[in-house]
């Protein structure tokens, strides 16, 4: 498939290349860490941007209603969430929105629940806004599936616990939370007076039979209790456009959030991002289906490969393009594990520990790459493991 052929990004300012030397102390590693794709952004997006450039003035612009409507209809079609236009606002970054939401819904010194392991800015946003972290460890069952434990969570919370910062689908473990899990978690939050910031940025990268359910769709009480964060960055590989949206149905919460957004002048975003966003949601459906097929085939490739390497365990993700590799069977400490991947396998992955203490012994591999790139990475890892086994 043409869209998914190899494209050299090393001469662009791709973060995974620019920061490679700094992070891995060598440029001799294949970078499979940053959560974007080595796959061309859909042509409909590129074409829309080119078309907009035919107009020679690129002054301040406001995101159009048509762009918002395109997202509303995508989210309705794909996730059954009927959003109203007035619930939505622009944000340049989901992480920036998390910061605004934390400030809008809690006071300094309040406690915020974060599930460990998780995308690292979840921790930093809480700490940098002078709130306290309540770390809830996600635990694997006997089939390797991670779960939260509401009984235990009840013992962790205090009257100062105001917020849950939730990742759905979950990076890095690849869970797509089930309806039962979401209902139980939502009911628990309502019972305990805890508001929810639900980061759903990975919501379009989900593999059948799993289905993403926006937390806010479960009941009207949850709709009023949740800030949902979403965007096209992961779905259409357009994170470089810095565009996402914030959905808040409750008017009081929305006002509080907007006040924080104004305080840091979130603004209205960039003209080329607006048209890219509109085109992606209006015309990107077919491309998105092909992408999911490609990513699913890559999961199968890892599954087939790993049969020969039982020292690494891999539970296929239900969503996201991130493989969470359980490397504890190698018997290495986190430092040695990272060195093994860099020095022996020549691969630049994200160390599990960077996602929290529950990530110890794991590595996260981004498989949103052309097949040839994944095959090459697995071959390198296989060679390093074979060599290790012999010695
Ligand atoms: C769960 C999650 N939230 C947010 C982001 C980043 O979003 P943004 O670039 O819009 O801040 C990422 C990127 O990997 C992510 O995995």
């Amino acid at each position: 498939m043409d869209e998914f052929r190899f494209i050299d990004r090393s001469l662009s300012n791709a973060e995974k290349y620019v920061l490679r030397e700094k992070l891995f102390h060598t440029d001799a590693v294949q970078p499979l860490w940053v959560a974007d794709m080595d796959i061309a952004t859909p042509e409909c997006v590129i074409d829309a941007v080119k078309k907009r450039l035919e107009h020679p003035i690129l002054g301040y612009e406001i995101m159009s209603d048509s762009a918002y409507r395109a997202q509303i209809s995508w989210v309705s079609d794909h996730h059954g969430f009927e959003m109203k236009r007035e619930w939505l606002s622009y944000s340049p970054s989901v992480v920036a929105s998390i910061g605004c939401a934390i400030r809008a819904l809690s006071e300094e010194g309040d406690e915020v629940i974060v599930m460990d392991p998780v995308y690292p800015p979840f921790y930093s946003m809480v700490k940098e806004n002078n709130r306290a972290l309540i770390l809830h460890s996600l635990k694997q069952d006997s089939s390797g599936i991670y779960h939260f434990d509401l009984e235990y969570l009840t013992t962790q919370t205090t009257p100062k616990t105001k917020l849950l910062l939730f990742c759905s689908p979950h990076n890095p473990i690849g869970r797509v939370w089930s309806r039962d899990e979401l209902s139980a978690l939502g009911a628990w939050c309502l019972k305990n007076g805890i508001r929810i910031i639900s980061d759903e940025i990975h919501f379009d990268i989900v593999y059948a039979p799993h289905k993403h359910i926006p937390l806010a769709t479960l009941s009207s009480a949850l709709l009023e209790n949740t800030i949902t964060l979403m965007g096209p960055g992961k779905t259409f590989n357009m994170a470089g456009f810095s565009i996402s949206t914030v959905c808040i149905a409750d008017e009081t919460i929305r006002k509080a959030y907007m006040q924080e957004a104004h305080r840091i002048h979130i603004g209205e975003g960039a003209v080329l991002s607006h048209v890219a966003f509109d085109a992606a949601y209006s015309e990107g459906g077919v491309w998105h289906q092909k992408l999911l097929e490609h990513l699913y085939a890559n999961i199968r490739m890892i599954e087939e490969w790993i049969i020969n390497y039982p020292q690494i365990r891999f539970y296929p993700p239900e969503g996201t393009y991130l493989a969470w590799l359980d490397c504890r069977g190698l018997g290495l400490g986190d430092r040695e594990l990272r060195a093994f991947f860099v020095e022996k396998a020549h691969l630049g992955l994200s160390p599990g520990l960077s996602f929290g203490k529950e990530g110890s012994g794991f590595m996260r591999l981004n498989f949103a790459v052309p097949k040839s790139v994944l095959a090459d990475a697995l071959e390198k890892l296989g060679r390093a493991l074979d060599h290790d086994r012999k010695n």
Side-chain angles (χ1 to χ4, degrees):
M1 254 173 269
D2 199 35
E3 286 104 329
F4 308 137
R5 74 188 197 286
F6 174 73
I7 298 169
D8 187 3
R9 299 178 75 191
S10 63
L11 297 178
S12 72
N13 285 320
E15 186 175 328
K16 55 160 55 174
Y17 286 100
V18 175
L19 296 183
R20 181 167 55 170
E21 175 80 41
K22 186 171 165 209
L23 284 177
F24 302 104
H25 309 295
T26 169
D27 61 4
V29 290
Q30 186 179 336
L32 295 165
W33 55 290
V34 177
D36 66 8
M37 303 195 261
D38 280 0
I39 281 173
T41 304
E43 235 170 70
C44 61
V45 172
I46 309 281
D47 288 346
V49 170
K50 283 184 186 158
K51 185 160 186 325
R52 176 59 188 81
L53 287 173
E54 286 169 13
H55 190 293
I57 297 184
L58 298 170
Y60 289 121
E61 292 203 5
I62 303 278
M63 186 152 134
S64 68
D65 263 336
S66 134
Y68 283 109
R69 272 199 306 277
Q71 190 191 43
I72 288 170
S73 117
W74 177 278
V75 173
S76 160
D77 293 350
H78 289 79
H79 307 298
F81 186 10
E82 307 300 335
M83 302 187 295
K84 294 199 174 134
R85 166 66 189 89
E86 64 268 25
W87 299 349
L88 290 171
S89 61
Y90 160 84
S91 168
S93 144
V94 166
V95 175
S97 314
I98 289 175
C100 289
I102 288 174
R103 289 192 298 280
L105 299 181
S106 63
E107 305 286 333
E108 290 206 359
D110 282 346
E111 295 163 347
V112 182
I113 302 164
V114 169
M115 294 179 180
D116 172 4
V118 79
Y119 177 58
F122 274 42
Y123 303 107
S124 56
M125 280 295 103
V126 174
K127 286 193 272 189
E128 281 166 25
N129 284 292
N130 302 321
R131 272 65 172 171
L133 277 167
I134 298 228
L135 289 181
H136 181 71
S137 294
L138 293 167
K139 295 289 183 197
Q140 284 176 298
D141 64 20
S142 53
S143 12
I145 311 290
Y146 281 90
H147 300 280
F148 45 79
D149 175 349
L150 293 179
E151 230 169 86
Y152 186 62
L153 188 54
T154 307
T155 68
Q156 293 187 283
T157 51
T158 77
K160 279 177 110 47
T161 313
K162 297 291 159 50
L163 278 173
L164 164 68
L165 185 45
F166 188 52
C167 194
S168 173
H170 192 102
N171 169 11
I173 60 172
R175 276 302 318 275
V176 174
W177 306 106
S178 70
R179 183 174 291 277
D180 285 351
E181 287 171 308
L182 293 169
S183 299
L185 181 66
W188 183 88
C189 287
L190 290 171
K191 183 171 156 219
N192 291 286
I194 290 170
R195 294 230 165 90
I196 305 165
I197 304 170
S198 189
D199 175 344
E200 304 193 7
I201 193 169
H202 293 275
F203 65 169
D204 290 320
I205 311 291
V206 170
Y207 310 103
H210 302 283
K211 181 139 183 46
H212 173 74
I213 301 168
L215 191 66
T217 59
L218 288 176
S219 67
S220 53
L222 278 172
L223 177 66
E224 301 291 317
N225 195 52
T226 305
I227 293 187
T228 308
L229 309 175
M230 66 203 131
K234 304 291 171 201
T235 316
F236 301 104
N237 202 25
M238 46 183 277
F241 278 110
S242 289
I243 188 163
S244 64
T245 54
V246 180
C247 175
I248 311 175
D250 180 81
E251 205 179 329
T252 313
I253 298 183
R254 196 161 65 238
K255 274 199 186 131
Y257 173 88
M258 289 315 295
Q259 205 170 11
E260 290 302 327
H262 290 316
R263 214 165 261 168
I264 59 162
H265 194 73
I266 281 270
E268 288 293 336
V271 49
L272 297 182
S273 306
H274 298 156
V275 294
F277 179 103
D278 195 342
Y281 283 126
S282 310
E283 301 165 45
V286 172
W287 183 91
H288 171 242
Q289 270 315 309
K290 284 197 217 156
L291 173 74
L292 289 180
E293 284 163 28
H294 173 82
L295 294 175
Y296 188 67
N298 278 1
I299 294 178
R300 299 303 311 271
M301 193 195 295
I302 301 173
E303 280 185 300
E304 280 161 25
W305 173 88
I306 218 141
I307 291 169
N308 295 314
Y309 297 98
Q311 58 278 54
I312 298 188
R313 298 177 80 189
F314 165 66
Y315 306 99
E318 299 164 352
T320 78
Y321 44 69
L322 307 163
W324 185 235
L325 303 177
D326 181 350
C327 304
R328 289 174 295 182
L330 293 175
L332 300 173
D334 284 289
R335 216 181 256 264
E336 291 78 31
L337 180 62
R338 189 183 150 101
F340 171 81
F341 271 82
V342 173
E343 291 159 22
K344 304 255 174 68
H346 308 291
L347 295 176
L349 272 61
S350 309
L353 204 54
S354 64
F355 299 91
K357 72 173 175 29
E358 294 296 334
S360 175
F362 287 75
M363 296 294 281
R364 192 193 74 174
L365 180 149
N366 176 347
F367 58 83
V369 292
K371 286 195 173 29
S372 57
V373 175
L374 181 60
D376 187 35
L378 295 177
E379 200 185 311
K380 282 187 181 128
L381 182 53
R383 263 203 307 267
L385 290 167
D386 289 339
H387 185 265
D388 205 46
R389 208 154 30 187
K390 273 188 222 136
N391 292 310

